[in-house]
Amino acid sequence: SSGSKVLVHFVNQSGVKTSVFVTEGETLLDVVIKKNLDISSFGACEGTLACSTCHLIFEESVYDKLEPIVDEEVDMLDLAYGLTKTSRLGCQVSVEHWMDGMTVHVPQEINDQQGKQEAVSSK
Ligand code: FES
């Protein structure tokens, strides 16, 4: 039915979860913009398949049911950091009713300084 809302949970780079009700047919990029979700530099190319900043990680059961991926999206995803086997570009995925209750994750930002941080033992 038109106007029905789909519940989607977003987990941002910091692990903070935001749950929003979304109109069917909107892309996940539309949702992030409309709901003003706190995801830094998301959707830099405004959905024109010219970046990979809208990279989202899906649950496997959801990923398996998404529309087929096109070559242009594959090429952009290849450039994304933190790529997983259930990664897609959020601007290419439209919300459908069956997605109700799904959780999408923004890849954790890789922080060089944290990576290099060493545990200091005082033993
Ligand atoms: Fe740039 Fe999706 S917003 S590819």
Side-chain angles (χ1 to χ4, degrees):
S1 60
S2 70
S4 69
K5 296 282 184 174
V6 181
L7 179 62
V8 180
H9 310 284
F10 284 83
V11 179
N12 76 6
Q13 292 101 324
S14 313
V16 177
K17 183 170 168 178
T18 308
S19 302
V20 291
F21 283 102
V22 176
T23 307
E24 278 181 79
E26 290 184 336
T27 69
L28 291 171
L29 173 62
D30 293 337
V31 174
V32 168
I33 292 168
K34 274 194 176 175
K35 305 287 184 185
N36 200 19
L37 300 184
D38 185 18
I39 304 175
S40 61
S41 52
F42 192 91
C45 80
E46 299 175 332
T48 58
L49 272 181
C51 76
S52 58
T53 62
C54 62
H55 175 196
L56 290 171
I57 299 167
F58 292 80
E59 296 155 291
E60 204 165 324
S61 58
V62 172
Y63 179 85
D64 289 343
K65 288 199 273 178
L66 296 178
E67 293 292 313
I69 191 164
V70 298
D71 290 346
E72 288 80 4
E73 184 180 348
V74 173
D75 291 345
M76 279 301 143
L77 266 179
D78 280 344
L79 304 175
Y81 62 78
L83 190 65
T84 76
K85 63 179 168 52
T86 61
S87 291
R88 290 289 299 264
L89 293 178
C91 68
Q92 300 302 305
V93 176
S94 296
V95 174
E96 296 179 43
H97 189 69
W98 60 264
M99 295 174 183
D100 193 42
M102 76 169 173
T103 300
V104 293
H105 287 255
V106 178
Q108 302 277 308
E109 269 188 60
I110 294 157
N111 184 323
D112 276 348
Q113 284 187 328
Q114 270 182 8
K116 284 174 192 155
Q117 210 171 53
E118 286 169 17
V120 178
S121 171
S122 56
K123 280 178 195 168

